[in-house]
């Protein structure tokens, strides 16, 4: 039976940005600022809210994620966490 090791990568986005696909298995976005944002053109991410896309360990996300801020508040911050699963054959 395969075991999976998990690694993560994260960044804080402070302006409109495309997060390029990097073969991560799951992604979580948390709006830690005061300005509302939209994910991929139609998913609202108000201040304080989170959005995640999680998969099984053997599935990777193969599309970019766009973050667009409303531009109403000066404090624009979205925490982006990407999760990777690596198979450890023992």
């Amino acid at each position: 039976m395969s075991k999976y090791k998990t690694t993560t990568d994260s960044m804080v986005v402070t302006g409109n940005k495309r997060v390029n696909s990097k073969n991560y298995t799951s992604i979580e976005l948390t709006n830690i600022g005061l300005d509302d944002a939209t994910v991929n053109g139609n998913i609202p991410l108000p201040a304080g809210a989170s959005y995640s896309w999680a998969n099984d360990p053997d599935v990777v996300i193969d599309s970019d994620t766009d973050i667009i801020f409303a531009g109403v508040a000066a404090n624009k911050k979205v925490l982006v966490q990407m999760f990777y699963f690596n198979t450890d054959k023992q």
Side-chain angles (χ1 to χ4, degrees):
M1 181 166 158
S2 295
K3 294 184 180 183
Y4 296 96
K5 291 185 177 182
T6 304
T7 57
T8 65
D9 190 12
S10 65
M11 69 177 114
V12 175
V13 173
T14 58
N16 297 343
K17 181 171 180 74
R18 173 168 283 168
V19 178
N20 294 319
S21 167
K22 296 180 186 175
N23 292 322
Y24 42 80
T25 301
S26 302
I27 187 169
E28 183 172 352
L29 310 173
T30 305
N31 191 336
I32 58 174
L34 300 176
D35 198 27
D36 292 345
T38 302
V39 177
N40 292 336
N42 61 6
I43 302 168
L45 190 65
S50 293
Y51 163 78
S52 63
W53 179 3
N55 290 304
D56 291 327
D58 56 344
V59 177
V60 295
I61 296 174
D62 192 32
S63 62
D64 297 339
T65 301
D66 292 320
I67 302 167
I68 305 296
F69 289 95
V72 176
N75 187 343
K76 298 168 180 51
K77 287 186 185 177
V78 169
L79 171 63
V80 178
Q81 298 176 89
M82 296 158 284
F83 304 92
Y84 303 84
F85 286 93
N86 302 305
T87 304
D88 182 16
K89 303 281 186 183
Q90 293 184 350

